[in-house]
Amino acid sequence: MTISDPRKRLLDLLGIVAAYNDKGYQWIPHDAAQVALYRDRVQQEILQLTAEIGEQAFSADLLDMLKSGVASRDDSGDAYLLAKSELS
């Protein structure tokens, strides 16, 4: 995967958002409104990358996490790990 590959960009984003959601927002610090705005922006980017990659590249479980917003709120890294196993 190259840096411009949407699969790489999605994996990187999912890793970053998991770290952010797992106390990262507290270190910055972000208030509730800033956290919500960040997650909304991340969700839009996740949807764009999912479309670029193509929904057929994802399992039903991962696709649901990506499209529903679960991945943009994930603080465990589950979405990242599932995406890594499917896209790497």
Side-chain angles (χ1 to χ4, degrees):
M1 281 188 277
T2 65
I3 292 172
S4 63
D5 186 334
R7 295 174 299 164
K8 168 105 172 81
R9 293 190 343 251
L10 179 60
L11 287 172
D12 290 347
L13 180 60
L14 292 174
I16 290 166
V17 76
Y20 176 85
N21 287 325
D22 180 33
K23 300 184 189 86
Y25 64 92
Q26 295 171 340
W27 298 331
I28 293 178
H30 274 173
D31 62 26
Q34 291 168 312
V35 171
L37 179 61
Y38 176 80
R39 288 176 178 162
D40 287 344
R41 288 180 180 162
V42 166
Q43 181 59 27
Q44 292 310 308
E45 191 170 352
I46 287 171
L47 292 174
Q48 177 184 348
L49 291 167
T50 301
E52 283 182 45
I53 296 165
E55 291 185 5
Q56 70 281 0
F58 304 99
S59 66
D61 289 341
L62 180 55
L63 187 59
D64 182 56
M65 292 174 84
L66 298 172
K67 292 177 76 174
S68 69
V70 168
S72 66
R73 297 183 309 274
D74 180 28
D75 64 356
S76 65
D78 288 344
Y80 168 78
L81 292 174
L82 186 55
K84 186 175 178 182
S85 73
E86 293 185 20
L87 299 175
S88 294

